[in-house]
Amino acid sequence: MVSIISITMSLHITSTTEGQLQIHLTTKQRQYAVPDVPYSIRANVGCTELNVLLSTLLKDSGKKNLGKVNFDFLLNGEFIRSSLSQHLKERDISFEDSINIEYVERYPAPEPQDCLLHDDWVSAVQAKNGWILTGTYDNTVNLWNTKGKHKLTIPGHVAPVKGVAWISLDDKTGVFASASHDQTVMLWEWNVAANSVECVHVCKGHERGVGCIAVNPSKTKMASGSMDTMLKVWSTELHGDGKAEQPSATKKAKLEQDNLRTPIITLAGHREFVSGVQWIDDTTIATCSWDHTIKLWDLTLGGIKSEFTGNKSFFDLSYSPLNGMIITASPDKNLRLYDLRTKHGNTVKNTYLGHTQWVQTCRWSTTNEYLFVSGAYDNRVKMWDYRSPKAPIFELIGHEDKVLACDWSNPRYILSGGSDNAVRVFKSKIAVGNEPDD
């Protein structure tokens, strides 16, 4: 039996040539389920009208105590952002067929929290638990807490710091790394109680500036990408030289004396700046480059496992272990989604156009397989659901100049740093799990 839902009068919908559509409404969120029967609605309705319809159906189903809940609607795994009729026309879907529409509770908007002011451009940021690392163009690393209090300014580099990465953190000790245009990666140990930091190792081997750094899942190694086109892998071990090959006695004495560390392995293959690096697992690394390629490296083989070629330079990439996909940032204002599991055909699953200038940075949520954030030279940070390629779900406004870095490592906080000398902190209400608040 078809349920005829008349919403024309209450929603002031004008008639259209498409007339009526038959839809099924389904959800994976059982608390919001409505009867699985077809409903007849006008073809020109949008999300607002569908929300009114769903609210009525939930009340009629006896679910009156849900409060004010808004929903987003998906058709074939893609969010509906226009009228149903326009959405169907653009995708050549027949108006005669019964349309299956999935609905999900709309995400709450991130809330602006703090603005962490620095003395120069902020080009790197990463959170862990209640602590935030930043790297700046005044050659320093800074340590903050998520309540906005500055804890330490850490000198040591002699050129802008372009990457920071937490390795470990507990109540007593924190270990982290920083990468700089001075061609080095530094490994630091933080005494939490004394609030003092020591540079344990200076990692040398790159011949030009280091632009990115990432730590493997087991926290035993880190990888760095450089303007010298090389990818290098280093030990994160605090004690010992961290080398796979044993140096000569003379060289070993010098390494220990100078506190220097050399790479475990150097991987050549890119032709230009290695602008982004991420670990897929403990033996696989993904990199992107200005040479228009993404490469997957197999450390056990010591070479390239696979390669994806784009038509623009890549400025950054982020890998999600939750969905097995990579998001990339490029100077053509677009973000692109690559599915590493695709064996045949186009590996680009979606293109996201919403920024108006170069997209410099992107990061996946660590707890939600659909969500990622991006930052660009248009001073904007945007939150995306990968099922909504035509528009971001939220804009995080606040920066007054180019956004150079972003982070969502702690699911409670979205962070972004820019050439306005500021880190913007947004509280995410989408957090799940047991990540500490501070």
Side-chain angles (χ1 to χ4, degrees):
M1 177 179 179
V2 176
S3 298
I4 306 298
I5 306 298
S6 178
I7 55 176
T8 308
M9 295 296 290
S10 61
L11 300 173
H12 307 288
I13 300 173
T14 57
S15 61
T16 65
T17 54
E18 290 89 8
Q20 302 283 101
L21 281 175
Q22 244 183 60
I23 65 169
H24 279 265
L25 292 168
T26 63
T27 184
K28 296 183 178 74
Q29 297 171 295
R30 293 183 179 180
Q31 70 272 32
Y32 301 130
V34 297
D36 184 15
V37 297
Y39 302 96
S40 181
I41 63 171
R42 288 197 177 276
N44 66 335
V45 303
C47 289
T48 301
E49 294 83 9
L50 287 171
N51 263 295
V52 172
L53 167 60
L54 198 50
S55 177
T56 302
L57 294 173
L58 287 167
K59 287 178 182 177
D60 290 347
S61 300
K63 299 174 181 178
K64 299 178 180 179
N65 300 319
L66 295 175
K68 181 61 176 175
V69 181
N70 285 313
F71 297 92
D72 279 315
F73 301 87
L74 300 103
L75 181 57
N76 295 334
E78 184 180 342
F79 276 115
I80 299 167
R81 295 304 187 200
S82 58
S83 68
L84 262 176
S85 56
Q86 182 180 342
H87 191 92
L88 295 174
K89 280 180 180 177
E90 290 174 352
R91 289 151 187 82
D92 292 323
I93 298 173
S94 171
F95 285 68
E96 302 300 320
D97 297 334
S98 181
I99 308 298
N100 290 313
I101 297 177
E102 180 185 354
Y103 56 96
V104 294
E105 184 178 0
R106 186 168 293 168
Y107 297 118
E111 296 178 357
Q113 296 290 296
D114 295 298
C115 178
L116 314 181
L117 289 176
H118 295 67
D119 293 331
D120 210 333
W121 292 11
V122 182
S123 45
V125 60
Q126 192 180 80
K128 186 172 179 63
N129 301 344
W131 299 99
I132 298 170
L133 282 173
T134 60
T136 62
Y137 266 67
D138 66 3
N139 312 342
T140 65
V141 177
N142 289 268
L143 186 59
W144 306 72
N145 66 22
T146 51
K147 296 186 182 298
K149 183 177 180 182
H150 185 257
K151 299 293 287 186
L152 273 176
T153 297
I154 305 165
H157 287 290
V158 294
V161 178
K162 299 291 289 182
V164 291
W166 285 103
I167 296 167
S168 63
L169 178 62
D170 56 34
D171 293 339
K172 295 181 179 179
T173 306
V175 179
F176 54 88
S178 56
S180 169
H181 275 177
D182 65 9
Q183 305 180 16
T184 70
V185 173
M186 289 188 172
L187 196 58
W188 307 86
E189 186 172 25
W190 172 39
N191 183 318
V192 177
N195 195 32
S196 62
V197 169
E198 176 189 2
C199 178
V200 182
H201 290 289
V202 178
C203 303
K204 287 192 172 182
H206 283 296
E207 296 178 1
R208 294 185 66 189
V210 187
C212 53
I213 188 168
V215 178
N216 70 346
S218 65
K219 312 302 182 186
T220 56
K221 296 180 179 67
M222 54 188 176
S224 57
S226 167
M227 290 180 178
D228 65 9
T229 75
M230 298 298 171
L231 169 67
K232 291 182 184 285
V233 179
W234 318 79
S235 170
T236 60
E237 181 187 355
L238 287 185
H239 307 290
D241 65 6
K243 271 284 291 176
E245 299 174 1
Q246 289 298 317
S248 66
T250 304
K251 186 176 181 182
K252 187 171 183 179
K254 180 171 175 54
L255 285 172
E256 290 174 352
Q257 178 186 346
D258 296 342
N259 225 23
L260 296 184
R261 174 164 287 177
T262 52
I264 296 171
I265 187 172
T266 296
L267 297 166
H270 282 296
R271 299 183 306 278
E272 294 188 48
F273 175 36
V274 181
S275 51
V277 59
Q278 293 269 285
W279 291 80
I280 306 298
D281 54 44
D282 278 339
T283 59
T284 310
I285 300 172
T287 56
C288 66
S289 169
W290 287 6
D291 66 11
H292 300 191
T293 67
I294 300 167
K295 297 184 192 295
L296 296 185
W297 305 82
D298 187 332
L299 295 188
T300 57
L301 298 177
I304 298 169
K305 184 178 180 179
S306 57
E307 181 177 309
F308 309 95
T309 302
N311 57 5
K312 296 289 180 183
S313 295
F314 293 109
F315 284 168
D316 196 12
L317 86 166
S318 181
Y319 169 74
S320 172
L322 301 178
N323 58 37
M325 293 190 278
I326 282 176
I327 196 76
T328 62
S330 289
D332 64 356
K333 310 171 189 177
N334 291 345
L335 295 122
R336 290 178 177 84
L337 182 70
Y338 288 82
D339 189 346
L340 303 185
R341 300 162 299 186
T342 300
K343 302 298 182 185
H344 305 286
N346 192 0
T347 55
V348 180
K349 306 302 291 183
N350 269 327
T351 300
Y352 303 84
L353 179 58
H355 285 291
T356 57
Q357 294 188 43
W358 288 5
V359 187
Q360 182 66 32
T361 177
C362 56
R363 285 295 178 268
W364 283 104
S365 163
T366 56
T367 55
N368 187 304
E369 65 177 297
Y370 300 113
L371 301 182
F372 62 92
V373 291
S374 62
Y377 277 26
D378 59 11
N379 310 351
R380 292 289 187 264
V381 176
K382 296 178 187 285
M383 182 191 291
W384 304 82
D385 186 303
Y386 80 65
R387 299 167 294 183
S388 179
K390 289 204 167 186
I393 58 174
F394 294 112
E395 287 205 5
L396 284 58
I397 299 170
H399 282 288
E400 297 175 357
D401 208 334
K402 299 182 292 290
V403 179
L404 305 177
C406 67
D407 179 66
W408 204 352
S409 300
N410 182 334
R412 296 180 183 273
Y413 298 100
I414 297 166
L415 310 173
S416 56
S419 53
D420 57 0
N421 300 2
V423 167
R424 293 279 172 177
V425 181
F426 283 80
K427 185 74 175 288
S428 172
K429 298 296 186 180
I430 308 168
V432 297
N434 298 314
E435 188 76 25
D437 196 9
D438 50 39

